[in-house]
Amino acid sequence: MMLVDGMPSAQVSASDRGLHYGDGLFETMRLHDGSVPLLDRHLARLQAGCNVLGLAWPGAELLGRDVERLALPGGEGIIKLMITRGDGGRGYAPQPDAGCRRVAGRYPLPALPETGMQVGRCSTRLGRNAGLAGLKHLCRLEQVLGAAEVASAGWDEGIMTDEDGRVIEATRHNLFLVRDGRVRTPRLDGCGVAGVMRALVLEWCRRSHRHCSEDRVSWDELVAADEIILTNAVRGLVPVTDLCGRPVAPGPVGAELREGLAREGVVWLGA
Amino acid sequence: MMLVDGMPSAQVSASDRGLHYGDGLFETMRLHDGSVPLLDRHLARLQAGCNVLGLAWPGAELLGRDVERLALPGGEGIIKLMITRGDGGRGYAPQPDAGCRRVAGRYPLPALPETGMQVGRCSTRLGRNAGLAGLKHLCRLEQVLGAAEVASAGWDEGIMTDEDGRVIEATRHNLFLVRDGRVRTPRLDGCGVAGVMRALVLEWCRRSHRHCSEDRVSWDELVAADEIILTNAVRGLVPVTDLCGRPVAPGPVGAELREGLAREGVVWLGA
């Protein structure tokens, strides 16, 4: 089921600027037991993105109503919210009075390996653009090509590096690595999506006096990690159990993070 | 008027991967006197892009038929062809058997200043991604933000630089610069769109033994240029007459390039 500006529709205007230019943002949210537990955080990120792109903010009320309608049947799943800059004539320049269009849909929860993920290294790189880094905008061709590599290699996920070979994230997860008890996650000032679950983990670490640095991470440092944990808002925290053919053991820090977040109500992690 | 897969339609599937991920390519082509003079070159570039992205190629015949139908009313204008990877479920990975969707539209020719362009410098940067450089893909948020700067500053166009401050192109034009009779154009191995008109100019230079190098170009080198010429397939060659408030005189090399291309049948340049 899809909603376009709140109305059930499987169609959208062929002049939509999301289609023509990737001129918009999206959120992929976990639907659990008929509601979206992290809705407020998703909407806050969406609004922050609208501010960066100069996109009209439709308001939490309208978006919340879309989510409610899609969530009605209850159960588990994913709700995806898109905001585009609506219709545009030809040409990159947005109209100064451009509104926005909401496209929302509900999808089944993807399957996930039971124990952890077998992960490879994508040859597709992430371009660096400080102005767009962190945003979950609609220009995701790099992730598409990375995901095509993952599918064709038969991996569960693929690590993506930037043009300098620095580790940034996986195609649909952020990542944390642990070495000698020290937790790190790649800094996202040049590229990457600043995930809602990544932010939750960082906040939990700060509150729990468990040091976690946002850092430049080289491929060799990733390979040398004792633990690697992938995060997103759909599945929570998932350990990497194999990196490019080398076994990685799920370890105590990943378990600590999962338990810590679960105690704070993120009970559907990895469910 | 718009055609979706050859049928008149103002709507496209809300599940289109062009909308969700920018998973597709486009061409913006000049319609002159009822036909598209550079159609073969545009289709060749589109097909080359499809090969890079692993997109199904719909074939020149179908695309040519779309163009013919849109061109029927004759006259001047723009025809835009998009190819997307069609519908996708949720998730970045394309289906291995994914087809493609054609979205084509006809638009009026944009107005252009009579003598030349007043050009500023965009603060929005172009991210570097060698794998996508040169392609006219649907992920154009950088150009959207650049064009918004152009509009709000009241310029005719804006020069875009990469993350290192190197000059790459303008928001909707490639550029050539001339210094002491030497012609150069920014190398597009990290970002930028390899325009059809840019290729024509490079070919003409080669055939005419007029040296033109594809080069790294700094902002200072652009500022020091004797002539700056913007190119695209809609307008051909247009001189910059003002760069960030400093007058730039249209000069003999730009005139030579225009005359050279005109002699080879590109008679609608700057029309």
Side-chain angles (χ1 to χ4, degrees), chain B residues 119-126 142-143 145-150 155 157-161 169-171 219 244:
Chain B
V119 168
R121 179 180 184 167
C122 295
S123 64
T124 304
R125 301 296 179 102
L126 295 171
E142 296 167 338
Q143 279 77 13
L145 298 179
E149 290 185 65
V150 170
W155 307 326
E157 247 291 25
I159 305 292
M160 301 194 76
T161 56
E169 61 192 6
T171 67
W219 183 259
C244 299

Side-chain angles (χ1 to χ4, degrees), chain B residues 22-107:
Chain B
D23 193 6
L25 297 159
F26 72 109
E27 294 290 328
T28 307
M29 309 183 296
R30 172 67 179 263
L31 174 66
H32 172 65
D33 202 14
S35 79
V36 174
L38 298 176
L39 182 61
D40 289 353
R41 285 175 178 267
H42 284 289
L43 295 185
R45 179 172 66 166
L46 206 48
Q47 186 170 14
C50 283
N51 288 340
V52 174
L53 300 185
L55 254 167
W57 169 239
E61 201 187 316
L62 278 180
L63 292 165
R65 227 179 287 162
D66 291 346
V67 169
E68 239 169 67
R69 288 187 61 183
L70 292 168
L72 264 189
E76 302 295 324
I78 287 174
I79 291 180
K80 180 171 175 176
L81 281 185
M82 268 192 278
I83 296 179
T84 77
R85 212 183 299 263
D87 275 13
R90 211 202 53 80
Y92 294 128
Q95 296 303 309
D97 59 349
C100 66
R101 174 171 288 131
R102 306 180 329 268
V103 181
R106 181 189 162 137
Y107 305 88

Side-chain angles (χ1 to χ4, degrees), chain A residues 2 4 9-24 26 28 52-54 78 80 82 84-85 88-94 103 107-108 110 124-132 135-145 147-148 151 163-164 171-172 189-190 193 234, chain B residues 2 4 9-24 26 28 52-54 78 80 82 84-85 88-94 103 107-108 110 124-132 135-145 147-148 151 163-164 171-172 189-190 193 234:
Chain A
M2 296 191 79
V4 176
S9 174
Q11 303 274 308
V12 72
S13 163
S15 299
D16 190 90
R17 291 180 57 94
L19 171 64
H20 284 249
Y21 304 127
D23 192 7
F26 72 110
T28 306
V52 175
L53 300 186
I78 287 173
K80 179 171 174 175
M82 269 191 276
T84 77
R85 211 183 300 262
R90 212 203 52 81
Y92 293 127
V103 182
Y107 305 89
T124 304
R125 302 295 179 101
L126 295 171
R128 267 208 316 273
N129 188 320
L132 297 175
L135 298 184
K136 206 166 168 93
H137 54 66
L138 294 176
C139 296
R140 301 262 75 106
L141 205 36
E142 296 167 338
Q143 280 76 11
V144 167
L145 298 178
E163 289 273 297
D164 295 330
T171 67
R172 57 189 195 279
D189 53 355
V193 174
V234 171
Chain B
M2 295 191 81
V4 176
S9 174
Q11 303 274 307
V12 71
S13 163
S15 299
D16 190 272
R17 290 179 58 95
L19 172 64
H20 284 249
Y21 304 126
D23 193 6
F26 72 109
T28 307
V52 174
L53 300 185
I78 287 174
K80 180 171 175 176
M82 268 192 278
T84 77
R85 212 183 299 263
R90 211 202 53 80
Y92 294 128
V103 181
Y107 305 88
T124 304
R125 301 296 179 102
L126 295 171
R128 268 208 315 273
N129 188 319
L132 297 175
L135 298 184
K136 207 166 167 94
H137 53 66
L138 294 176
C139 295
R140 300 261 77 105
L141 204 37
E142 296 167 338
Q143 279 77 13
V144 166
L145 298 179
E163 289 274 295
D164 295 330
T171 67
R172 56 188 195 279
D189 53 356
V193 174
V234 171

Side-chain angles (χ1 to χ4, degrees), chain B residues 102-261:
Chain B
R102 306 180 329 268
V103 181
R106 181 189 162 137
Y107 305 88
L109 209 57
L112 186 82
E114 296 262 315
T115 48
M117 285 201 175
Q118 189 208 335
V119 168
R121 179 180 184 167
C122 295
S123 64
T124 304
R125 301 296 179 102
L126 295 171
R128 268 208 315 273
N129 188 319
L132 297 175
L135 298 184
K136 207 166 167 94
H137 53 66
L138 294 176
C139 295
R140 300 261 77 105
L141 204 37
E142 296 167 338
Q143 279 77 13
V144 166
L145 298 179
E149 290 185 65
V150 170
S152 110
W155 307 326
D156 299 317
E157 247 291 25
I159 305 292
M160 301 194 76
T161 56
D162 69 10
E163 289 274 295
D164 295 330
R166 287 211 183 90
V167 173
I168 305 298
E169 61 192 6
T171 67
R172 56 188 195 279
H173 293 86
N174 290 117
L175 74 83
F176 290 78
L177 61 161
V178 185
R179 177 78 196 257
D180 298 331
R182 232 180 107 224
V183 189
R184 301 163 69 200
T185 189
R187 206 191 294 175
L188 304 181
D189 53 356
C191 45
V193 174
V196 158
M197 188 54 59
R198 177 181 182 271
L200 264 175
V201 171
L202 284 170
E203 286 171 29
W204 183 86
C205 286
R206 220 166 291 140
R207 277 201 313 275
S208 311
H209 308 287
R210 146 73 69 191
H211 183 75
C212 177
S213 54
E214 293 180 74
D215 242 351
R216 305 222 178 280
V217 175
S218 70
W219 183 259
D220 288 348
E221 288 171 319
L222 187 70
V223 169
D226 303 321
E227 296 178 49
I228 304 170
I229 302 137
L230 301 180
T231 68
N232 72 21
V234 171
R235 283 300 187 172
L237 282 69
V238 182
V240 170
T241 47
D242 183 300
L243 177 66
C244 299
R246 169 188 157 269
V248 185
V253 177
E256 179 195 344
L257 292 175
R258 285 166 63 102
E259 283 160 24
L261 289 178

